[in-house]
Amino acid sequence: MMLVFDIILMGVIVWIALGSLSPRGVYKSVVMFVVFGLFMALGWVRLGAPDVALAEAAIGAGVTGVILLDAAGHLRQRTPGPILERHVRRGVAPLPLLASVIVFFVLALLVVNLPAEADGLAPLMTAGAEDSGIKNVVTAVLLDFRGYDTLLEIAVLMLATVAVFSLRDAPDILGRRLAGFAGPLLDSFTRIVTPFMLVIAGHLVWIGSSEPGGAFQAGAVLGAAGILLALSGFASPRWAGRRVVRLSLTMGLLVFIAIALYPLFLGGTLLQYPDETRKTLILAMETWLTLSIGASLVSLFIASASPGPDGGVA
Amino acid sequence: MSIQTVLDTVSVLAFIGSGFFFVAGSVGLVRFPDVFTRLHALTKADNLGLGLLVVGLALRSGSWTAAAKLFVVWLLIVFTGATACHLVASAARKKGIQPWVRETS
């Protein structure tokens, strides 16, 4: 029964992926991309990875979808008439197609040649996770065993935000009004939902050490709350330029680096946390990372959002 | 008839009802003529389809906390659905899309 479901799911994912590539217009592609993210999230749940599913749904489908939709609206505004003819070349580009086919076959070869019955690193992870007091293996991998990757990821996210900021004229970002949608219903909706979102973000950070959740998922919820506030006119875009936001943007990386360096003073190596304080350090790091990720998602959105005809978002 | 059998039966009926509303909503989304009627079909599926699904799952969850969480999920979706529907409809109105009327001869 579940096998049938899985096969249908896989088919649907490939079908939607193809749909998002088909040249029926930028707007349709973006919508298909969002739907693709949601089905991928379902796929991750079926693979037993609810952490990844949460991140995929919140960041892949949600926040990226909002940014892409906004970009599509921006394109339509700049160039009236069908977007397709202007921005999308018809037909298949041979070189990218060749590259994709080669990558596909290399990956397929690797998967086929994997040893059939090997535990891989799983036993090591589980044992290590028990030692560290971080019961959620995904969190342990992200922030402990493979701390380097996450550190660099956060650095990339911060640099991306800085780059988007610097591509825009500062007065342009800060003087703009985003409240294109304000109305009584959206107002009361925002009032009801935002506190919920903040509580959920806090909850996701806190349970991240033992259950699915963590800084990325919590940061995405926090970022979505900020985008909602900006779109419904509660938070002025000026807010993105405030020192508090810039500080929270950088604090995640700074705290991460500080905590990564801390073991060096104890005579250990980089990112080699001492066992007794490991859980506290990781929780502190996750909290600051959440704030940073949330702040950078909001800043990315506000800085790249296109102003509508009346100064609101299109 | 034990209480478990009653709960199971009611939850299965709720699932069937939920399936009906989701299918009807999807058919409406595809078949209805304009954005306003499509929104109407879609929000019915969200509110009632998901509501019945939550009822069915809550009866099977076996714990009050799980049932309460499911109920909160449903409540949030209802809030979101109503607001999103309103926003889409008002954006369509602002853009000048006229509601569909049956052509009378």
Side-chain angles (χ1 to χ4, degrees):
Chain A
M1 185 61 198
M2 279 330 265
L3 185 70
V4 177
F5 178 80
D6 288 346
I7 290 173
I8 294 175
L9 182 65
M10 286 192 296
V12 168
I13 288 176
V14 173
W15 181 57
I16 294 174
L18 287 175
S20 75
L21 291 177
S22 85
R24 281 184 301 172
V26 173
Y27 180 74
K28 275 186 181 156
S29 292
V30 170
V31 172
M32 286 302 250
F33 178 76
V34 171
V35 177
F36 172 76
L38 292 176
F39 274 92
M40 274 306 283
L42 200 58
W44 287 118
V45 170
R46 287 295 303 140
L47 288 171
D51 291 83
V52 190
L54 269 173
E56 174 69 42
I59 301 180
V63 181
T64 320
V66 170
I67 291 177
L68 285 177
L69 272 180
D70 193 71
H74 198 57
L75 274 180
R76 191 176 341 208
Q77 246 176 42
R78 282 240 173 123
T79 49
I83 299 174
L84 177 64
E85 278 72 27
R86 287 162 197 275
H87 296 283
V88 183
R89 242 189 329 167
R90 278 184 191 280
V92 180
L95 217 57
L97 183 71
L98 188 71
S100 312
V101 169
I102 291 174
V103 169
F104 173 80
F105 277 107
V106 169
L107 284 178
L109 203 69
L110 288 177
V111 171
V112 169
N113 284 334
L114 279 181
E117 285 179 24
D119 289 332
L121 293 173
L124 204 65
M125 290 294 173
T126 325
E130 267 162 28
D131 289 347
S132 68
I134 301 289
K135 285 191 219 79
N136 180 10
V137 186
V138 178
T139 303
V141 170
L142 280 180
L143 292 175
D144 200 346
F145 302 110
R146 302 297 306 264
Y148 273 115
D149 297 25
T150 315
L151 183 62
L152 291 176
E153 252 172 54
I154 296 302
V156 166
L157 193 61
M158 206 191 80
L159 285 178
T161 316
V162 171
V164 170
F165 266 138
S166 59
L167 283 175
R168 283 272 182 170
D169 296 334
D172 188 34
I173 309 172
L174 302 180
R176 228 161 11 142
R177 195 172 58 86
L178 284 174
F181 299 113
L185 194 62
L186 188 59
D187 269 12
S188 43
F189 173 75
T190 312
R191 277 176 216 278
I192 293 171
V193 166
T194 313
F196 264 105
M197 293 173 99
L198 295 182
V199 171
I200 289 170
H203 176 71
L204 281 172
V205 179
W206 181 250
I207 64 162
S209 60
S210 55
E211 282 173 64
F216 283 90
Q217 290 82 355
V221 174
L222 204 63
I227 291 176
L228 180 67
L229 285 177
L231 277 179
S232 56
F234 276 86
S236 138
R238 252 172 232 289
W239 182 79
R242 290 235 175 106
R243 201 164 288 163
V244 178
V245 180
R246 293 185 179 214
L247 205 62
S248 34
L249 208 62
T250 45
M251 274 313 272
L253 187 61
L254 290 181
V255 169
F256 204 148
I257 291 175
I259 291 179
L261 289 177
Y262 167 68
L264 288 181
F265 295 102
L266 301 177
T269 56
L270 201 66
L271 288 162
Q272 187 78 53
Y273 317 125
D275 276 339
E276 53 283 7
T277 47
R278 180 172 288 165
K279 194 173 175 184
T280 321
L281 287 180
I282 288 186
L283 201 62
M285 209 147 73
E286 289 239 75
T287 311
W288 284 104
L289 283 183
T290 303
L291 205 63
S292 254
I293 293 169
S296 65
L297 290 177
V298 182
S299 310
L300 274 176
F301 176 76
I302 290 181
S304 59
S306 53
D310 59 339
V313 165
Chain B
M1 206 157 72
S2 74
I3 195 120
Q4 194 55 47
T5 331
V6 176
L7 286 183
D8 277 353
T9 319
V10 175
S11 73
V12 166
L13 286 178
F15 288 147
I16 293 172
S18 144
F20 168 76
F21 277 107
F22 272 117
V23 170
S26 311
V27 170
L29 177 68
V30 177
R31 301 276 303 165
F32 276 175
D34 73 342
V35 61
F36 302 104
T37 46
R38 283 178 184 167
L39 280 173
H40 163 83
L42 212 57
T43 41
K44 296 303 156 293
D46 268 2
N47 295 357
L48 281 166
L50 192 71
L52 286 170
L53 194 68
V54 160
V55 167
L57 288 176
L59 288 177
R60 276 169 184 258
S61 66
S63 86
W64 282 107
T65 47
K69 275 185 199 168
L70 284 167
F71 180 71
V72 173
V73 167
W74 176 71
L75 213 60
L76 283 174
I77 299 273
V78 169
F79 280 149
T80 316
T83 313
C85 172
H86 168 77
L87 286 176
V88 172
S90 67
R93 282 290 280 177
K94 253 187 219 163
K95 216 182 159 193
I97 296 175
Q98 291 300 317
W100 173 85
V101 241
R102 187 185 295 279
E103 282 168 34
T104 44
S105 52

